[in-house]
Amino acid sequence: MWDGRQFGYNAPVKRIFGIFIVLCLLLTMGTPALAQSSGSEYFKETGHFVSGEFLAYYRSVSNATTLFGFPITEAFVKNGRTVQYFQRARFELRPELPAGQRVQLAPIGKALYVPGERLDIFNPFACRYFTQTGFSVCYAFLDFFKDNGGVERFGQPISSFEYYNDLIVQYFENARFEWKPWMPDGQRVSVADLGRPFFDKEKEDANLLKPIDPGNRSGTTIQLQVRAFVWKAVTLASDQQLVYIIVQDQNLQPVSGAQGTATIRWADGTSGSIPFSTNSSGVGIVPLTFINQPYGKMVNIEIYVTKDGLSTSTTTSFRIWY
């Protein structure tokens, strides 16, 4: 009892829709882009840029290469949050936090830790005990920990000393320390390259690892990102609705000409699919008309988008209220 035909609007309603779309685009697209717009640096070692607050955070650390390594992806949106992978870390942007605290490190050590062969080493004069996790940090690991940001940067220790690949290591929430006695003094403690293993564990798109041409940063789309929302969160049982789909690339730039399908799971148990494509602003619109849908139930909408061999999906919904 529905169709996907375009329905007409008078001029005032069109103006309202226009304002609505602009506001929604500002809210859903503008914030991440603006947060990452101030300054950019290209790292030829891995072929990726670091920009905005991520770059400011990276450059605020005197030995960033030692602690984080070089970027291995561009910044991209994952589950509504801007992130970027480095050889030894993943940066996450949290715009809801105060300035200076918006860049956070993902707990990649915790995500990748598998208990190994434990070494019970403790010296009350050379160790610091952490009551939160019940582990101690000792000797050169403790010196490195204190000298390079402590809990704020590495998180709490989550293991004791352990053997891993013939090395003495210790895991922290955000990192793994490794002891390399053959290195010169001052370089024997290092941070392990956990960025790529965490990237693989998260099943990220391998295309994100491809180096970027510094002269054509936004010229090649290597990842699609899609968001969808509806005009009205609740509707009448017989009503009209609009579904807005926003498609962006890995640099949060609009993707035009993307083809997609909106599959509508109606409250009455029926379903149907409507094709759409994105305009020059990366926006697609799916109009809906329906009658006699059951009160109080949800209408779920599944969005699938494809462009040049890449694909992605998302969902949105609304409720039939009365």
Side-chain angles (χ1 to χ4, degrees), residues 260-273:
T261 302
T263 301
I264 296 86
R265 310 288 183 187
W266 291 98
D268 63 5
T270 61
S271 64
S273 297

Side-chain angles (χ1 to χ4, degrees), residues 13 41 57 72 79 88 123 196 207 225 261 283 296 316:
V13 174
E41 184 174 339
Y57 179 79
I72 60 173
N79 298 328
R88 302 178 186 117
N123 182 331
R196 177 60 192 273
N207 288 311
Q225 303 180 68
T261 302
V283 178
T316 188

